[in-house]
């Protein structure tokens, strides 16, 4: 076996997807979503096309890219990624705001103090990157998404570890992502508690951890009970 370098210009590709005879890459440090194709049939990706350019930071950045059961492509962005103006308030997720009746002036001096709504979000596009929608928002740093056999989408979202024991702390959690869903992540003290009517609560709170990959056992060779299970990975403590 050998290792072959396909492209060394796209920096920190956190997400890779091969679909529609193309290799899709989310290049976090290059701040873009790209499609690579072999147009000459010689087993070389000779075409590199930028489908979406995004500004913002690279910490909680451009994460995974996943093919949905609807044959649409889903991009997972953390709360440091800025939404391109053309995609802002694009249905079904729109009309998001900071929504603080009494703003806290020192929130801007806390960690990620420049992060504004909608924070982390999920984008959906077609194979050519021509059609775009923002599906849901209000996450901190959801690295990945997974679909169950019914086509329902789930993610594993991060907490703000520096907020542990603070009244506004929200633990890491599993979220069922629905179309137009608002999940309430805001900077510092502005986070929406689970009981807010305009924010969807979690399906399960896991506590202190560092969310990374998430996958259903549907297509595994595990025993039946595990093929019906959802697996999530915790980077910080090395747990599944």
């Amino acid at each position: 076996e050998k290792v072959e370098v396909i492209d060394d210009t796209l920096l920190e590709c956190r997400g890779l997807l091969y679909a529609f005879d193309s290799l899709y890459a989310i290049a976090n440090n290059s701040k873009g979503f790209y499609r690579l194709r072999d147009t000459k049939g010689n087993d070389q990706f000779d075409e590199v096309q930028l489908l979406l350019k995004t500004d913002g930071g690279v910490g909680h950045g451009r994460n995974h890219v996943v093919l949905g059961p609807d044959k649409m492509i889903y991009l997972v962005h953390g709360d440091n990624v800025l939404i391109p103006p053309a995609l802002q308030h694009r249905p079904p997720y729109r009309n998001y705001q900071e929504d603080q009746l009494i703003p806290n002036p020192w929130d801007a001096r806390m960690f990620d103090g420049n992060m504004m709504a909608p924070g982390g979000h999920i984008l959906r596009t077609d194979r050519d990157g021509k059609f775009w929608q923002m599906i849901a928002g209000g996450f901190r740093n959801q690295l990945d998404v997974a679909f169950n056999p019914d086509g329902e989408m789930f993610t594993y979202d991060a907490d703000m570890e520096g907020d542990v024991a603070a009244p506004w702390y929200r633990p890491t959690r599993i979220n069922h992502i629905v179309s137009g869903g608002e999940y309430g992540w805001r900077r510092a003290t502005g986070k929406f508690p689970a009981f807010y009517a305009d924010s969807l609560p979690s399906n399960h709170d896991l506590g202190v951890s560092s969310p990374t990959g998430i996958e259903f056992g549907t297509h595994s060779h595990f025993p039946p009970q595990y093929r019906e299970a959802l697996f999530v990975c915790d980077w910080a403590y090395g747990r599944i």
Side-chain angles (χ1 to χ4, degrees), residues 53-93:
K53 180 69 175 176
T54 50
D55 293 322
V58 296
H60 298 167
R62 298 140 200 87
N63 297 326
H64 285 203
V65 54
V66 178
L67 183 66
D70 55 359
K71 304 303 180 184
M72 299 292 281
I73 297 172
Y74 290 79
L75 280 65
V76 185
H77 286 166
D79 65 3
N80 292 144
V81 179
L82 299 180
I83 300 171
L87 302 185
Q88 292 177 1
H89 303 281
R90 180 74 64 90
Y93 178 65

Side-chain angles (χ1 to χ4, degrees), residues 89-126:
H89 303 281
R90 180 74 64 90
Y93 178 65
R94 55 183 174 178
N95 301 326
Y96 50 84
Q97 300 289 339
E98 289 297 302
D99 289 333
Q100 304 306 317
L101 185 63
I102 305 176
N104 189 332
W106 47 269
D107 278 351
R109 296 194 291 275
M110 299 179 73
F111 185 85
D112 273 352
N114 61 343
M115 189 283 295
M116 305 295 284
H121 52 277
I122 309 290
L123 299 178
R124 182 172 72 164
T125 187
D126 60 5

Side-chain angles (χ1 to χ4, degrees), residues 27-193:
N28 184 43
N29 286 355
S30 296
K31 298 187 176 183
F33 175 55
Y34 295 83
R35 178 173 65 176
L36 288 71
R37 292 196 298 177
D38 172 13
T39 64
K40 300 177 181 178
N42 62 357
D43 198 32
Q44 298 294 318
F45 289 109
D46 54 88
E47 179 186 271
V48 180
Q49 180 184 11
L50 175 65
L51 299 182
L52 181 69
K53 180 69 175 176
T54 50
D55 293 322
V58 296
H60 298 167
R62 298 140 200 87
N63 297 326
H64 285 203
V65 54
V66 178
L67 183 66
D70 55 359
K71 304 303 180 184
M72 299 292 281
I73 297 172
Y74 290 79
L75 280 65
V76 185
H77 286 166
D79 65 3
N80 292 144
V81 179
L82 299 180
I83 300 171
L87 302 185
Q88 292 177 1
H89 303 281
R90 180 74 64 90
Y93 178 65
R94 55 183 174 178
N95 301 326
Y96 50 84
Q97 300 289 339
E98 289 297 302
D99 289 333
Q100 304 306 317
L101 185 63
I102 305 176
N104 189 332
W106 47 269
D107 278 351
R109 296 194 291 275
M110 299 179 73
F111 185 85
D112 273 352
N114 61 343
M115 189 283 295
M116 305 295 284
H121 52 277
I122 309 290
L123 299 178
R124 182 172 72 164
T125 187
D126 60 5
R127 66 177 68 189
D128 298 316
K130 302 296 185 184
F131 169 84
W132 289 93
Q133 283 184 317
M134 188 152 53
I135 297 299
F139 304 101
R140 185 183 185 227
N141 191 34
Q142 75 300 9
L143 198 80
D144 195 6
V145 296
F147 293 87
N148 71 4
D150 296 321
E152 302 286 335
M153 183 165 45
F154 292 80
T155 194
Y156 181 20
D157 195 19
D159 63 351
M160 174 56 225
E161 57 274 14
D163 290 345
V164 172
W168 55 87
Y169 175 71
R170 296 198 332 182
T172 64
R173 57 194 203 154
I174 305 296
N175 283 120
H176 175 206
I177 302 175
V178 300
S179 180
E182 166 63 69
Y183 294 87
W185 182 265
R186 299 294 187 268
R187 62 180 181 173
T189 65
K191 297 183 245 327
F192 294 4

